[in-house]
Amino acid sequence: LSIRNFKAILSLDLPNLDNVVVIAGANGSGKSCIFDAIRLLKATHGGFANAQEWQRYFSEFQINFEKRDERARLMNDATAPVIISAQFTLASSEIDYIRANAKRIILDDMTSAKLREERINPNLADAPFLANVQRELEASAAQQAIEVCKTLGDPYQLSELKIDTNY
């Protein structure tokens, strides 16, 4: 995990984290900022990169991201960008789970995205309609699952988020 210029954190590198991590420090030292940074990175990545989670994050901190001065409140130094990145390696049990379930996970995600795109509430869609949508997406999901499984075991870069005041 690497965090630069985020809230109380000027620069933090936490390499080779294990399964259990303890964050300790005095009040106001930036412990919560570490978790806020991870949550912000998560909100912008992969299946979690949806407008609702992104907006929920900023509204919780009462930040209008469209306003430069409010966005600058995320920064330790308002003249430099925020950079948050994380790299992780999956455990063998996680790799086994993904290999066994990749197609279903991807198909479910693709189906949800398609329903959102068409503004259809998945709770109100009938089973035959959902089955038809999944049949349409199945070949693409299978191909994506093959590609995902090829990369398993390699260190995986979980996005790098950069927030700048200069836009």
Side-chain angles (χ1 to χ4, degrees):
L1 177 64
S2 177
I3 304 170
R4 301 279 180 271
N5 196 39
F6 183 73
K7 295 185 171 186
I9 300 171
L10 185 56
S11 180
L12 176 70
D13 288 305
L14 300 172
N16 305 318
L17 297 174
D18 211 336
N19 291 334
V20 177
V21 176
V22 176
I23 307 288
N27 286 344
S29 63
K31 299 178 302 293
S32 295
C33 295
I34 295 169
F35 298 107
D36 290 343
I38 292 168
R39 186 170 155 226
L40 179 57
L41 184 62
K42 175 189 159 285
T44 63
H45 183 71
F48 299 105
N50 63 60
Q52 289 178 341
E53 185 158 354
W54 177 261
Q55 290 169 350
R56 210 172 20 248
Y57 180 90
F58 287 108
S59 67
E60 181 179 321
F61 294 101
Q62 299 177 348
I63 294 172
N64 180 343
F65 193 76
E66 299 303 316
K67 295 184 177 179
R68 181 180 181 186
D69 58 324
E70 289 189 26
R71 197 169 53 245
R73 292 187 359 224
L74 292 172
M75 301 166 178
N76 187 295
D77 172 359
T79 64
V82 168
I83 300 174
I84 305 167
S85 62
Q87 182 175 332
F88 63 92
T89 303
L90 299 172
S92 59
S93 60
E94 294 168 318
I95 292 170
D96 293 343
Y97 178 84
I98 292 170
R99 282 196 174 116
N101 296 285
K103 181 180 170 188
R104 180 190 52 78
I105 293 167
I106 292 169
L107 183 58
D108 289 349
D109 189 54
M110 291 174 73
T111 302
S112 295
K114 177 84 170 169
L115 294 175
R116 276 192 311 274
E117 179 183 301
E118 296 185 13
R119 299 177 191 257
I120 297 171
N121 183 335
N123 298 323
L124 302 178
D126 61 14
F129 175 79
L130 289 175
N132 187 46
V133 169
Q134 289 195 326
R135 268 193 301 279
E136 291 175 12
L137 300 171
E138 192 165 358
S140 179
Q143 184 58 43
Q144 285 186 37
I146 290 168
E147 295 304 314
V148 165
C149 289
K150 284 180 185 176
T151 65
L152 294 176
D154 295 338
Y156 182 70
Q157 181 71 30
L158 173 65
S159 187
E160 180 174 273
L161 172 65
K162 181 176 181 181
I163 300 174
D164 204 333
T165 56
N166 298 319
Y167 89 84

